[in-house]
Amino acid sequence: MPSFHFRQMNLQCGTFRLVLNRPLIMGVVNVTPDSFSDGGHYHNLDAAVAHARRLIDEGADLLDIGGESTRPGAAAVSLEEERRRVLPVLDALLSSGVPLSIDTQKPQLMREAAAAGAAMINDINGFEAADALQAVSGSDCAICIMHKQGQPQTMQQAPQYRDVVAEVDGYLRARVAAAEAAGITQSRIVVDPGFGFGKTLEHNLTLLRALDRVAAAGVPVLAGLSRKSMIGALTEREVGHRVFGSVAAALIAVQRGAAILRVHDVAATRDALAVWNAVESIKIKN
Ligand code: HH2
């Protein structure tokens, strides 16, 4: 197994400095009525905060709070509504001791979240909106740059690549360069191939198998495979029954260099990583 250079990396993440000498778990907190994985479960403040605290107890190293579903066909959410969903949850969790990421495509909300204490901004749109990079460059937030092809409403209709790994890797490298040009140092940047975002099952599997090529860009890689339709297609399970398949995919991702796993099932992922970490750190006598 190759030894990945993420082991020597640190990530500046707001006031936190994360040492990436083991894979980290990012727990998903969807404050939405319609997310594909858990829509409606944690839609109000109390339920979202209680869920977030449970994920921390289960071993989440950081949390990703989102107020707009990105599943194909999801309704667009206004800035006002997304702000109303997300910022109170962020505020309530500021003292929780873990870095808080905000999952948004809206530059104005990025700005407000950074000012309110977010440690990371996660943008499935790769910070392509006008002003998105500027919205975060003056802060100390980390950024997660994700690849997608097309727009969420239609992205799964006919995704096409000549070479999915080269194209995703090339896109992410170009966006890292754009972020650096906007004043964001590499020590604040994470990249994500965007599993399920404008990709067929074959594209997703090819990317997962070759994730180390994306990791070779030298920036930590975040992988979001949890409960996704690729896991459903492979296991023939409904979304609430994809934990085993998701954990298998998460382990494959860390073996191929993922530094951060974005997951719904924190406890299960934590146990799997405990086994993986023990095997990785055992000293072999010869
Ligand atoms: N996946 C989802 C949302 N945000 N961000 C990153 N960086 N990577 C991902 O793979 C990713 C993401 C979709 O999952 P979920 O939040 O559970 O669903 P929904 O978008 O329906 O809220």
Side-chain angles (χ1 to χ4, degrees), residues 8-21 24 97 99 119 140 142 185-188:
Q8 279 88 50
M9 285 182 196
N10 289 331
L11 179 68
Q12 187 195 332
C13 202
T15 54
F16 297 83
R17 197 160 188 90
L18 302 180
V19 182
L20 302 176
N21 58 357
L24 301 185
D140 56 5
T185 57
Q186 273 211 14
S187 60
R188 290 170 55 197

Side-chain angles (χ1 to χ4, degrees), residues 28 30 35-37 69-71 103 122 124 144 146 192 197 222 224 228 262 264:
V28 178
N30 282 324
S35 286
F36 86 93
S37 51
S69 172
T70 54
R71 72 178 164 76
D103 187 346
N122 170 28
I124 63 141
C144 178
M146 199 196 79
D192 179 346
F197 285 85
L222 183 149
K228 288 201 170 157
R262 182 182 183 277
H264 304 87

Side-chain angles (χ1 to χ4, degrees), residues 1-2 4 250-258 276:
M1 199 53 61
F4 291 104
L251 273 186
I252 295 168
V254 299
Q255 283 178 330
R256 286 161 164 79
W276 186 83

